[in-house]
């Protein structure tokens, strides 16, 4: 149980384009979903927290107009990187928590490369 | 400011050589401390949650312990498949449920 999927697993795009990443909880309802970013040899840094049907809460320094988060249902959250630039290249990982809110289950991550 | 510090940064063990990884934390109040395992290019895999000092959890060759200032992840008789980065994270009280991660310990177990 507690499986989280992400799609796509990797994406390469040109600078200036937008990219959407999906995060799904497959066998439980995710009250809260989190989006993290991980640069090489670094740990995970929280970008934003989203609750189903509510606006996401962004961490300080994360541009909400650049990283659009939608949590439309209890099993799906999306992260859209708008007008991507090479510095946005990173490993994006989502997590989800259900009835036990302090335990997060992570997706496999999405490798974004912006050329 | 809430901080999580893991040591060592990297650890190389021979198969069967037991050791411990350390996670020191500074928070105003602790909701929970978490251990995750992360393989290269993958998302973190949940291992343990610890809530109060003195608590211990075990899973196969791994045992996690917690004091008021730090947590240890003991690895007994490790195998090469235990090679991974082990991440420690805390959730402070009154800060929602977002995880605050340390930088991890990269463990390599050689045959």
């Amino acid at each position: 149980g507690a499986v989280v999927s992400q799609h796509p697993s990797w994406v390469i795009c040109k600078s200036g384009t937008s990219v959407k990443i999906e995060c799904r909880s497959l066998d439980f309802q995710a009250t809260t979903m989190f989006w993290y970013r991980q640069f090489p040899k670094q740990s995970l840094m929280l970008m934003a927290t989203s609750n189903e049907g509510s606006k996401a809460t962004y961490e300080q320094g994360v541009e909400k107009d650049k990283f659009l988060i939608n949590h439309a249902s209890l099993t799906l959250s999306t992260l859209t990187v708008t007008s991507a630039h090479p510095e946005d290249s990173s490993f994006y990982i989502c997590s989800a928590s259900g009835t036990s809110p302090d335990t997060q289950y992570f997706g496999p991550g999405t490798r974004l490369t912006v050329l | 400011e809430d901080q999580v510090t893991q040591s060592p940064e990297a650890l190389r063990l021979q198969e069967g050589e037991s050791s411990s990884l350390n996670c020191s934390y500074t928070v105003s109040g602790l909701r929970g401390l978490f251990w995750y395992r992360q393989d290269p290019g993958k998302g973190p895999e949940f291992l343990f949650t610890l809530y109060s000092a003195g608590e211990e959890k075990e899973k196969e060759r791994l045992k996690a312990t917690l004091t008021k200032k730090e947590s240890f992840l003991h690895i007994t008789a490790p195998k090469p498949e235990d090679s991974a980065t082990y991440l420690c994270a805390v959730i402070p009280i009154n800060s929602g449920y977002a995880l605050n991660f340390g930088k991890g310990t990269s463990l390599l177990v050689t045959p």
Side-chain angles (χ1 to χ4, degrees):
Chain A
V3 179
V4 177
S5 70
Q6 277 183 246
H7 178 79
S9 56
W10 60 271
V11 56
I12 301 173
C13 69
K14 291 183 179 180
S15 185
T17 61
S18 295
V19 174
K20 180 184 283 189
I21 302 170
E22 290 186 351
C23 175
R24 294 182 185 271
S25 57
L26 299 185
D27 53 0
F28 67 102
Q29 293 189 322
T31 309
T32 307
M33 285 185 167
F34 304 82
W35 286 96
Y36 295 83
R37 183 166 51 181
Q38 186 175 33
F39 292 104
K41 304 293 185 183
Q42 299 292 317
S43 194
L44 285 77
M45 296 298 295
L46 179 68
M47 298 176 68
T49 303
S50 74
N51 292 292
E52 184 262 341
S54 303
K55 286 186 178 180
T57 301
Y58 291 81
E59 294 300 297
Q60 192 171 9
V62 178
E63 301 173 57
K64 63 179 180 180
D65 294 329
K66 181 171 184 61
F67 297 99
L68 301 179
I69 292 172
N70 185 292
H71 192 162
S73 76
L74 285 171
T75 60
L76 173 65
S77 176
T78 60
L79 168 67
T80 301
V81 184
T82 62
S83 186
H85 289 94
E87 57 266 30
D88 298 323
S89 297
S90 188
F91 192 50
Y92 292 85
I93 312 174
C94 73
S95 70
S97 62
T99 54
S100 179
D102 55 355
T103 300
Q104 295 178 31
Y105 297 94
F106 284 82
T110 297
R111 173 75 58 194
L112 170 64
T113 302
V114 185
L115 302 176
Chain B
E1 183 182 337
D2 300 328
Q3 283 192 330
V4 180
T5 304
Q6 291 187 246
S7 62
E9 188 175 316
L11 180 63
R12 183 182 180 122
L13 299 173
Q14 283 204 320
E15 186 172 2
E17 180 186 0
S18 302
S19 189
S20 295
L21 313 182
N22 177 263
C23 172
S24 298
Y25 63 92
T26 305
V27 294
S28 53
L30 182 69
R31 184 187 297 279
L33 184 141
F34 302 80
W35 283 98
Y36 286 86
R37 167 190 171 132
Q38 186 177 27
D39 292 296
K42 302 285 182 63
E45 174 190 344
F46 172 74
L47 294 174
F48 302 109
T49 308
L50 300 166
Y51 292 104
S52 56
E55 190 175 357
E56 297 183 354
K57 294 257 178 95
E58 283 190 71
K59 179 181 179 181
E60 296 179 355
R61 295 178 292 282
L62 300 176
K63 182 168 110 175
T65 61
L66 180 66
T67 72
K68 288 187 177 180
K69 294 184 178 180
E70 58 191 351
S71 176
F72 291 94
L73 184 66
H74 307 277
I75 303 178
T76 302
K79 297 182 178 181
E81 52 262 41
D82 294 323
S83 298
T85 295
Y86 290 85
L87 299 170
C88 172
V90 300
I91 296 181
I93 287 176
N94 300 325
S95 73
Y97 291 95
L99 289 163
N100 185 347
F101 279 94
K103 292 186 176 181
T105 292
S106 177
L107 173 66
L108 175 65
V109 182
T110 57

